[in-house]
């Protein structure tokens, strides 16, 4: 009996497989894509965007070569700093630090004070101030802030403590502080008070809501660093005219930003970071975490070399490693560019580079070089610095500044999500007033540049490659590939009834045209009802979906986070590009003669394709007779309000909430819009 049961089961499974094969939607053959010049669909967006990076690099080089005089250099520095600050959303006002010393520690040759201060009201920063011993070194000391790289334990990370201790042993006070979501500053805790996210994944989560507000994770880190400088400058035992900054990896990123923006930093030594976005990084490892990508920086001309150049002629040491994933050849190229500019100012000796044959990290040679640089330019002594081999550092618990090891367990503590929610609420009130007083057409014109959407009549003529035709009993399916611009092809399926078509429908789905094209699916139902149906893959969807880029946690942020951030660096949005894909194909469909125009063109979108579909319908209401959005995001404000959410990065528009939210676009359509099964930013059912 068992044998027969197994055979019966196998037969049933085989029958199911055959049934699924019959019902499987037709796949657009790759021949159409090959005709369009796309050999590897999943790499299409990456290659398309990298070509634009190459174009931006040419512009950067041309502008770099034009700077010859001190006056031209100063004008460039002033302009670029302003663009940098604008791109991260500006800075908050300075408020009282309310700094407290919560404990102290002692080692041979140095001591440590454990510090808590507020970079913004009730937004706590924890740090450890390594101070020289009084019998050996007399105050006021030079002071250095040390932002941390991506270590879960933040300031307690071994090599970061060691560079601070080495500085203190050489007469320089060093203040190391926890960045958000590291050490004692986890911004999201679970019910047991444990961090829900830490380090890179946490920074990326903060980045999602920040983008919609026109901010960046970097904004919070930079401001914490500036307030750490405020704290050092406020102490009577620190000389406010002799301040510096050094950090490694993510701390090298923060050092690069701080030294470019804060003129109080007299000496800087970023380690294991500066290489070049125009070099190998984006082509190999891809875009790094949220705070390392500033909106539009490649379009307005800010590469890694610009961070030291923005501060010229102040002393800057690049600490580099030959086996770093931040490529050493690109680091050398950035150094040469910066050194040339320093030399034009007669300060070539103030731009220097040290190289060690090591992997990524604040290794011994780099620590000694960074401290030696501070001793030279802040302490006025040019001498060798050697780290004691028996140097002992502290445990993570010993360095705790808070009673329970997390700032969010302090009374009244506020995290970055709270700060973003506050700003979002302010913007919501301003938008309500703005949309009530401003003509609708004017508001829609403000949407276009934010999302990067041209008018439909401004778009170039689209090209179409036609493939085979599949005949069914009551309709036929034509396989197409649309080419709206060089390097982009949109696979599509055109369903046509055997008789005259009564109206037309454009379908877009987050999973591509295959998701609506199977037997019994929406496309078949519509074509059997007599409508012409065009189902397309928006760029980066369906066949051209990137293989999961795991750096940005695909389950939370979508499979194409690193490509999203290349577009972000270029100042472009996927929402804008995909909206134009809809407008391009809708215009083509309207130009066809095989359907009755009197019956109108409708637009149906599913999942995260609802966002570009909504933009297309709202900005070009004359094109679509009706629009249906199924399982779309209810609002961008909800992304900010939830904090922890699972919205794909490709569904974001930088700074959108400064001007509009999705509900405002929906009001434009009125009765022409139908919404079904709306979802919140975690994918849960939401109210319509």
């Amino acid at each position: 009996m068992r044998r027969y049961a197994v055979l019966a089961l196998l037969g049933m499974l085989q029958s199911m497989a055959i049934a699924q094969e019959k019902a499987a939607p037709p796949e657009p053959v790759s021949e159409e894509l090959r005709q369009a010049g796309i050999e590897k669909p999943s790499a299409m967006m990456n290659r398309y965007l990298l070509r634009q990076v190459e174009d931006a690099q040419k512009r950067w080089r041309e502008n770099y070569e034009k700077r010859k005089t001190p006056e031209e250099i100063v004008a460039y520095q002033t302009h670029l700093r302003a663009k940098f600050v604008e791109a991260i959303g500006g800075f908050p006002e300075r408020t009282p630090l309310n700094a407290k010393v919560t404990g102290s520690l002692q080692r041979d040759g140095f001591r440590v004070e454990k510090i808590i201060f507020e970079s913004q009201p009730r937004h706590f920063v924890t740090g450890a101030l390594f101070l020289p011993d009084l019998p050996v070194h007399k105050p006021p000391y030079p002071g250095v802030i040390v932002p941390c790289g991506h270590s879960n334990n933040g300031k307690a990370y071994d090599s970061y403590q060691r560079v601070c201790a080495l500085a203190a042993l050489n007469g320089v006070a060093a203040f190391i502080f926890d960045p958000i979501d590291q050490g004692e500053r986890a911004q999201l805790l679970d019910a047991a008070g444990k961090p829900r996210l830490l380090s890179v994944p946490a920074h990326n989560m903060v980045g999602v809501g920040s983008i919609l507000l026109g901010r960046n994770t970097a904004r919070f880190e930079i401001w914490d660093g500036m307030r750490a400088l405020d704290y050092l400058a406020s102490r009577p035992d620190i000389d406010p005219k002799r301040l510096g900054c050094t950090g490694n990896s993510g701390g090298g990123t923060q050092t690069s930003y701080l030294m470019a923006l804060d003129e109080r930093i007299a000496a800087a030594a970023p380690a294991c970071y500066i290489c070049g976005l125009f070099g190998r990084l984006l082509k190999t490892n891809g875009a790094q975490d949220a705070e390392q990508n500033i909106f539009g920086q490649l379009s307005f001309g800010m590469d890694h070399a610009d961070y030291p150049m923005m501060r010229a002629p102040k002393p800057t040491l690049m600490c580099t490693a030959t086996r770093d994933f931040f490529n050493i050849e690109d680091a050398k190229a950035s150094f040469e560019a910066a050194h040339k500019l320093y030399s034009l100012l007669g300060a070539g000796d103030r731009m220097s580079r040290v190289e060690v044959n090591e992997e990524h990290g604040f290794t011994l040679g780099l620590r000694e070089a960074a401290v030696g640089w501070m001793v030279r330019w802040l302490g006025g002594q040019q001498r060798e610095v050697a780290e004691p081999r028996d140097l002992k550092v502290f445990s993570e618990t010993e360095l705790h500044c808070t009673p329970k090891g997390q700032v969010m367990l302090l009374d009244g503590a506020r995290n970055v999500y709270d700060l973003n929610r506050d700003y979002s609420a302010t913007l919501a009130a301003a938008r309500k007033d703005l949309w009530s007083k401003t003509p609708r057409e004017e508001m829609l014109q403000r949407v276009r540049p934010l999302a990067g959407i041209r008018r439909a009549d401004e778009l170039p003529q689209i090209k179409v490659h036609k493939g085979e035709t599949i005949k069914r009993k009551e309709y036929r399916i034509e396989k197409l590939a649309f080419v709206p611009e060089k390097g982009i092809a949109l696979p599509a399926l055109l369903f046509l009834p055997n008789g005259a078509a009564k109206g037309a429908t454009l379908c877009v789905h987050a999973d591509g045209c295959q998701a609506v094209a199977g037997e019994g699916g929406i496309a078949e139902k519509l074509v059997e009802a007599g409508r012409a149906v065009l189902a397309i893959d928006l760029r980066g969807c369906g066949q051209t979906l990137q293989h999961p880029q795991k750096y940005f946690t695909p389950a939370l942020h979508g499979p194409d986070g690193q490509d999203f951030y290349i577009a972000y660096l270029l100042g472009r949005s996927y929402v804008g590009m995909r909206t134009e894909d809809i407008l391009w194909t809708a215009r083509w469909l309207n130009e066809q003669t095989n359907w009755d125009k009197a019956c109108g063109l409708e637009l149906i979108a599913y999942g995260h394709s609802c966002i570009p579909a909504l933009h297309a319908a709202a900005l070009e209401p004359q094109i679509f007779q009706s629009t249906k959005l199924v399982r779309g995001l209810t609002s961008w404000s909800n992304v900010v309000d939830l904090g922890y959410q699972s919205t794909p990065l490709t569904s974001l528009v930088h700074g959108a909430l400064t001007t509009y939210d999705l509900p405002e676009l929906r009001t434009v359509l009125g009765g022409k819009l139908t919404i079904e099964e709306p979802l919140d930013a975690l994918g849960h059912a939401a109210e319509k």
Side-chain angles (χ1 to χ4, degrees):
M1 288 293 292
R2 175 179 289 181
R3 179 172 179 271
Y4 289 112
V6 170
L7 289 173
L9 177 60
L10 288 173
M12 181 179 69
L13 292 173
Q14 186 177 19
S15 299
M16 290 173 61
I18 293 172
Q20 288 176 352
E21 183 178 347
K22 288 181 179 178
E27 293 187 4
V29 291
S30 57
E31 179 58 31
E32 290 83 52
L33 291 178
R34 282 196 294 271
Q35 291 178 30
I38 306 299
E39 294 294 335
K40 189 177 180 182
S42 63
M44 182 186 77
M45 285 305 295
N46 185 261
R47 293 174 178 176
Y48 167 77
L49 293 167
L50 287 176
R51 282 193 291 271
Q52 295 182 39
V53 172
E54 291 174 0
D55 293 338
Q57 181 180 15
K58 293 175 184 176
R59 295 192 299 271
W60 183 92
R61 176 57 61 177
E62 289 171 0
N63 290 327
Y64 169 80
E65 296 294 347
K66 292 177 182 177
R67 298 176 203 123
K68 304 292 185 183
T69 67
E71 292 77 16
E72 289 170 338
I73 292 171
V74 169
Y76 142 78
Q77 291 171 327
T78 303
H79 169 75
L80 203 56
R81 284 195 205 103
K83 293 294 291 184
F84 190 175
V85 173
E86 177 187 2
I88 61 173
F91 294 121
E93 63 176 336
R94 275 183 162 81
T95 50
L97 289 169
N98 298 323
K100 298 177 182 178
V101 178
T102 64
S104 61
L105 302 165
Q106 183 70 47
R107 282 283 191 268
D108 290 340
F110 65 93
R111 54 202 166 90
V112 172
E113 290 184 2
K114 298 189 283 186
I115 311 294
I116 298 179
F117 68 85
E118 299 174 28
S119 63
Q120 297 185 60
R122 309 303 293 174
H123 184 59
F124 297 106
V125 180
T126 43
L129 178 58
F130 287 66
L131 291 161
D133 264 351
L134 285 170
V136 181
H137 303 281
K138 295 182 179 180
Y141 311 114
V144 177
I145 60 168
V146 183
C148 296
H150 291 104
S151 54
N152 285 354
N153 60 350
K155 63 184 178 300
Y157 192 70
D158 183 88
S159 63
Y160 301 161
Q161 284 197 64
R162 288 181 180 278
V163 77
C164 295
L166 183 58
L169 289 170
N170 283 274
V172 179
F175 186 33
I176 185 169
F177 55 96
D178 289 324
I180 55 171
D181 288 311
Q182 294 173 239
E184 296 180 80
R185 296 189 68 206
Q187 301 294 285
L188 291 173
L189 302 180
D190 61 20
K194 301 298 181 182
R196 191 173 184 183
L197 290 173
L198 282 173
S199 193
V200 172
H203 293 170
N204 292 340
M205 184 64 75
V206 172
V208 175
S210 298
I211 286 171
L212 290 167
L213 299 170
R215 292 177 166 182
N216 188 291
T217 303
R219 176 185 186 269
F220 299 103
E221 294 185 346
I222 294 169
W223 188 244
D224 288 345
M226 289 180 169
R227 298 315 311 272
L229 284 168
D230 288 345
Y231 175 70
L232 280 187
S234 73
R235 290 182 61 112
D237 54 353
I238 304 295
D239 185 348
K241 295 182 179 179
R242 293 188 292 160
L243 299 178
C245 182
T246 186
N248 176 77
S249 189
T253 306
Q254 295 176 64
T255 299
S256 298
Y257 293 168
L258 286 161
M259 72 186 192
L261 295 176
D262 199 313
E263 295 185 350
R264 294 174 297 177
I265 296 176
C272 288
Y273 173 63
I274 292 180
C275 53
L277 295 170
F278 291 131
R280 296 162 180 80
L281 183 64
L282 297 182
K283 300 179 181 70
T284 53
N285 293 5
Q288 301 297 288
D289 51 298
E291 69 266 28
Q292 295 183 337
N293 307 301
I294 305 303
F295 180 67
Q297 71 176 96
L298 296 186
S299 63
F300 65 74
M302 188 173 76
D303 194 16
H304 285 196
D306 290 284
Y307 302 134
M309 290 195 294
M310 272 191 275
R311 62 182 269 101
K314 294 180 179 179
T316 305
L317 174 70
M318 279 179 55
C319 300
T320 62
T322 59
R323 290 178 282 144
D324 195 348
F325 55 81
F326 289 122
N327 184 267
I328 187 63
E329 296 304 321
D330 292 335
K332 291 177 181 177
S334 286
F335 169 75
E336 291 299 330
H339 187 263
K340 179 181 176 181
L341 184 136
Y342 269 71
S343 297
L344 288 173
L345 296 174
D349 64 325
R350 296 189 174 199
M351 182 70 215
S352 190
R353 184 176 72 88
V354 62
E355 178 181 303
V356 296
N357 185 22
E358 299 281 357
E359 295 182 349
H360 185 80
F362 220 158
T363 51
L364 176 63
L366 297 186
R367 296 197 298 269
E368 291 176 338
V371 172
W373 191 255
M374 300 304 165
V375 169
R376 175 184 176 185
W377 293 103
L378 301 180
Q381 304 173 55
Q382 191 163 355
R383 58 179 171 81
E384 293 293 321
V385 168
E387 182 176 300
R389 297 301 180 258
D390 60 349
L391 179 62
K392 294 181 180 180
V393 296
F394 302 96
S395 70
E396 182 174 359
T397 303
E398 286 178 303
L399 285 180
H400 275 171
C401 305
T402 59
K404 298 180 181 179
Q406 287 295 335
V407 294
M408 290 309 298
L409 298 177
L410 297 174
D411 290 342
R414 312 191 77 237
N415 60 26
V416 289
Y417 298 99
D418 295 324
L419 302 178
N420 274 346
R421 290 185 191 103
D422 287 350
Y423 186 44
S424 181
T426 298
L427 291 178
R431 285 197 311 273
K432 183 178 180 180
D433 183 62
L434 185 64
W435 279 77
S436 68
K437 296 179 179 178
T438 309
R440 182 167 293 175
E441 183 58 33
E442 181 180 333
M443 290 306 303
L444 292 176
Q445 292 310 308
R446 296 187 190 187
V447 169
R448 289 186 184 275
L450 277 171
I453 303 168
R454 292 168 288 182
R455 298 181 62 89
D457 56 13
E458 296 173 345
L459 298 175
Q461 194 66 31
I462 198 167
K463 298 178 182 178
V464 185
H465 295 277
K466 295 186 178 182
E468 68 172 314
T469 297
I470 301 171
K471 294 184 178 180
R472 297 276 169 83
K473 184 177 180 181
E474 297 179 354
Y475 60 91
R476 65 188 185 276
I477 305 171
E478 295 181 0
K479 294 182 176 181
L480 309 171
F482 291 95
V483 181
E485 55 183 317
K486 184 178 179 181
I488 295 295
L490 312 174
L493 297 170
L494 178 62
F495 293 72
L496 293 170
N498 291 336
K502 304 171 185 177
T505 301
L506 177 60
C507 279
V508 291
H509 195 291
D511 296 329
C513 60
Q514 296 297 314
V516 300
E519 290 187 16
I522 183 65
E524 183 177 73
K525 291 177 181 178
L526 288 168
V527 73
E528 287 180 345
R531 296 186 71 86
V533 181
L534 178 62
I536 66 168
D537 287 0
L538 300 177
R539 65 185 72 194
C541 298
Q543 277 197 71
T544 61
L545 176 70
Q546 295 87 339
H547 294 304
Q549 298 171 323
K550 297 180 181 178
Y551 194 82
F552 288 95
T553 317
L556 293 173
H557 308 303
D560 39 17
Q562 286 177 291
D563 282 351
F564 164 83
Y565 268 115
I566 297 177
Y568 188 78
L569 287 163
L570 291 163
R572 304 196 66 186
S573 80
Y574 266 67
V575 169
M577 291 186 280
R578 288 173 173 172
T579 298
E580 290 189 349
D581 290 343
I582 293 172
L583 296 177
W584 254 309
T585 49
R587 188 177 68 183
W588 178 87
L589 190 55
N590 264 326
E591 292 169 352
Q592 305 309 299
T593 59
N594 49 14
W595 62 279
D596 185 357
K597 302 297 188 297
C599 297
L601 172 62
E602 69 174 347
L603 175 61
I604 302 178
Y606 296 84
H608 292 292
S609 290
C610 290
I611 294 177
L614 176 60
H615 280 74
L619 292 173
E620 304 284 351
Q622 77 284 358
I623 294 180
F624 304 101
Q625 184 182 64
S626 64
T627 300
K628 181 190 293 186
L629 306 178
V630 183
R631 297 188 297 278
L633 178 66
T634 181
S635 74
W636 279 326
S637 296
N638 182 248
V639 174
V640 181
D641 291 343
L642 287 182
Y644 184 95
Q645 41 66 48
S646 58
T647 304
L649 287 162
T650 51
S651 292
L652 309 177
V653 170
H654 182 83
L657 291 177
T658 63
T659 303
Y660 73 107
D661 197 356
L662 303 179
E664 275 120 13
L665 289 186
R666 290 199 288 267
T667 61
V668 172
L669 297 174
K672 295 171 64 176
L673 175 66
T674 301
I675 298 175
E676 295 182 359
E677 304 172 56
L679 304 175
D680 69 11
L682 272 172
H684 300 154
E687 294 182 4
K688 292 185 180 180

